[in-house]
Amino acid sequence: MAEETDVLVIGGGNAGLCAAIAAAEAGARVVLLEHADRSMRGGNSRHTRNLRAMHDGPLATLPDRYGEDEYWQDIVRVTDGNTSEILCRKMIRESADLVPWLQQHGVHFQPALSGTLNLGRTNAFFLGGGKALVNALYLAAERLGIEIRYHAEALTLTMDGGRCQAVQLLDRGFSHEIRAAAVVVASGGFQANTEWLAEAWGAGAENFIIRGTPYARGRLLRELMRHGAKTVGSADQCHAVAIDARAPRFDGGIVTRLDSVPFGIVVNRNSERFYDEGEDFWPRRYAIWGRLVARQPGQIAFSIIDAKVLNRFMPSVFPAIRSDSLEGLARLVELDPARLVDTVDSFNKALCPGDYNPDRLDDCRTEHLEPPKSHWALPLDTPPYYAYPLRPGITFTYLGVAVDQQARVLRADNGEAFQNVFAAGEVMAGNILGQGYCAGTGMSIGGVFGRTAGQEAACLK
């Protein structure tokens, strides 16, 4: 079977939907391929809660102001400058228009959730979460006449020089070919491909948990690389958070993330602390903890808190492990009781008195302790004590294809763009996120570059 269309969008998450809608509104005939079935459609976007948006005044449910320079400095801080300023500033500026555009297409917003992230001024929260966002955008796509195909997996690209001639796919199990004037790749990273993760992380990747869709195996990323696409980022860089070790291997979603880290200490299986739990505000640091845990013995760690902070963060969907003593808690999580008690005693003795305030970088810290705890350091002395087991939770990988401001995929041989191949979302997020993460940025990247890719692709019809 073979057919033709103006724009073919590969991937049915936030980035792909934004691309498809933008292309259709520009007058193109659009086919969208979604690898999953209808009930699992939307990729990682199903699990999101919000997007980070610039605004010079109140916007939707966002109060006050979050300007371009502040947003830019937040990205620079978490990436340590490992970002494309041109593309990042494009994402920042156009994120302000993304919120009303989504509203026009049926997405509703709500005030920020309470908890540890303190995102009420910077991030617009979807009413009903990511599943509601996905459903609204699919409904908008259907109204525009976009042809949506579920159980459709793109396999290979037929390239002629700098132009994609056709895409081969499995459509509900049947081999199929589609020729398109333009192709938008929005099929995500390779985080669900354990073999590829192991190339970067070694055998320890077997202990990683994939927070989102099991369909993100990087097939189209590999295919673009095979055809000479320029790459950005590193295979061992990713959005990796500490999640509950009891979570399922795939698709546990955001409810498995643990936000208890700043409120206590984190130890490895040897009962040793290994990083500053209070280094910075949690939105700027929560996405480094997956990598930190991945480097520990057995790729496991334990967040230890006491009763006085139990209700200060959004808990995991799994209940905390509880004991009236540290020794008892250690036995429940299979740690050496004496070593855990010694670690807690050393931590408590190193505390400096201060004015505890979880809403700012306070002066509650440790002295002469390695690693230090820079802020929010309180004694662990109020039973009962609680533990959450932590594993690396991979949301998406940062190795991707390089793009220009028109979202065109760039070639490695000459730095020029492929004539009709565009990319949006996680498959190109490494242009902006060379390392680290700011909460809500992934959705902004997908929305902004998805719209751009769709608009530019429609011009080639």
Side-chain angles (χ1 to χ4, degrees):
M1 297 176 62
E3 62 180 295
E4 295 184 356
T5 190
D6 294 332
V7 176
L8 178 66
V9 178
I10 303 172
N14 169 58
L17 287 164
C18 289
I21 291 169
E25 290 180 334
R29 290 180 300 139
V30 182
V31 174
L32 183 146
L33 306 180
E34 168 57 89
H35 190 177
D37 62 24
R38 185 183 180 92
S39 67
M40 297 290 284
R41 67 186 183 182
N44 284 350
S45 302
R46 292 183 298 114
H47 296 300
T48 191
R49 288 176 177 157
N50 57 75
L51 65 86
R52 184 170 290 253
M54 183 192 102
H55 51 103
D56 289 324
L59 175 68
T61 57
L62 296 171
D64 304 323
R65 179 180 185 276
Y66 184 51
E68 178 180 339
D69 287 341
E70 184 182 359
Y71 198 156
W72 165 247
Q73 290 302 322
D74 283 343
I75 297 293
V76 170
R77 186 179 297 111
V78 299
T79 64
D80 197 25
N82 190 2
T83 184
S84 163
E85 182 169 358
I86 292 175
L87 297 180
C88 184
R89 286 192 180 272
K90 170 185 170 67
M91 182 270 295
I92 291 170
R93 292 175 187 135
E94 296 185 21
S95 69
D97 297 327
L98 183 59
V99 170
W101 187 85
L102 289 171
Q103 288 178 309
Q104 293 166 14
H105 292 88
V107 178
H108 298 278
F109 293 89
Q110 67 180 36
L113 302 175
S114 61
T116 57
L117 292 182
N118 301 314
L119 298 174
R121 184 175 62 88
T122 61
N123 288 40
F125 280 69
F126 309 119
L127 179 62
K131 191 65 177 288
L133 163 82
V134 166
N135 288 343
L137 292 181
Y138 269 101
L139 183 58
E142 291 165 0
R143 287 172 175 164
L144 286 166
I146 294 168
E147 184 178 350
I148 300 164
R149 300 191 183 176
Y150 300 105
H151 293 291
E153 180 185 9
L155 301 177
T156 60
L157 306 176
T158 300
M159 302 292 292
D160 182 8
R163 185 173 186 81
C164 180
Q165 299 290 345
V167 176
Q168 289 72 44
L169 62 141
L170 283 178
D171 188 347
R172 288 158 293 184
F174 293 92
S175 297
H176 195 48
E177 179 181 277
I178 297 180
R179 294 179 175 271
V183 175
V184 178
V185 177
S187 51
F190 65 87
Q191 61 273 6
N193 188 329
T194 304
E195 295 81 7
W196 198 344
L197 288 176
E199 291 177 17
W201 287 93
E206 291 290 337
N207 292 322
F208 293 0
I209 296 173
I210 312 307
R211 300 174 70 205
T213 176
Y215 296 101
R217 296 185 54 81
R219 182 185 288 271
L220 264 293
L221 173 58
R222 284 276 201 201
E223 187 68 3
L224 288 169
M225 293 166 63
R226 184 173 73 87
H227 287 292
K230 181 180 179 181
T231 60
V232 294
S234 172
D236 67 349
Q237 290 289 342
C238 52
H239 181 297
V241 304
I243 69 171
D244 199 302
R246 298 164 289 182
R249 182 65 189 273
F250 294 104
D251 245 335
I254 201 165
V255 295
T256 62
R257 189 186 72 210
L258 284 167
D259 295 336
S260 57
V261 169
F263 297 98
I265 64 171
V266 177
V267 299
N268 59 23
R269 70 193 317 178
N270 299 322
S271 298
E272 299 166 340
R273 292 177 60 246
F274 52 89
Y275 198 78
D276 183 348
E277 302 92 346
E279 182 180 40
D280 202 344
F281 285 118
W282 194 230
R284 299 173 186 152
R285 286 295 177 267
Y286 78 94
I288 70 170
W289 276 88
R291 291 175 57 81
L292 294 171
V293 174
R295 296 190 182 108
Q296 301 309 304
Q299 294 75 51
I300 193 164
F302 301 88
S303 173
I304 310 294
I305 60 171
D306 67 8
K308 62 178 174 289
V309 299
L310 181 63
N311 297 318
R312 289 190 175 273
F313 57 91
M314 295 182 68
S316 166
V317 68
F318 300 97
I321 299 166
R322 177 186 182 278
S323 177
D324 290 330
S325 69
L326 286 170
E327 293 89 345
L329 189 69
R331 295 186 188 98
L332 289 174
V333 296
E334 299 181 349
L335 296 177
D336 183 283
R339 296 183 73 174
L340 179 61
V341 169
D342 182 64
T343 294
V344 171
D345 285 346
S346 298
F347 175 79
N348 288 344
K349 291 174 182 177
L351 295 174
C352 297
D355 182 17
Y356 178 75
N357 187 338
D359 295 325
R360 63 176 178 83
L361 296 174
D362 68 12
D363 56 355
C364 291
R365 57 186 174 81
T366 61
E367 280 189 350
H368 311 301
L369 185 68
E370 189 60 39
K373 186 170 183 181
S374 301
H375 307 284
W376 314 300
L378 296 176
L380 276 162
D381 61 2
T382 308
Y385 299 95
Y386 300 88
Y388 286 104
L390 309 177
R391 288 277 187 199
I394 312 301
T395 310
F396 64 94
T397 46
Y398 290 174
L399 176 66
V401 293
V403 300
D404 62 13
Q405 293 189 73
Q406 287 74 47
R408 299 178 300 181
V409 177
L410 301 179
R411 298 171 59 171
D413 56 357
N414 58 18
E416 296 180 357
F418 287 102
Q419 296 174 28
N420 65 339
V421 182
F422 302 82
E426 293 173 2
V427 74
M428 49 69 61
N431 290 271
I432 294 169
L433 297 169
Q435 64 186 63
Y437 191 69
C438 249
T441 308
M443 293 298 289
S444 300
I445 294 171
V448 167
F449 284 91
R451 289 179 64 196
T452 295
Q455 291 162 355
E456 296 291 334
C459 294
L460 301 180
K461 65 183 176 65

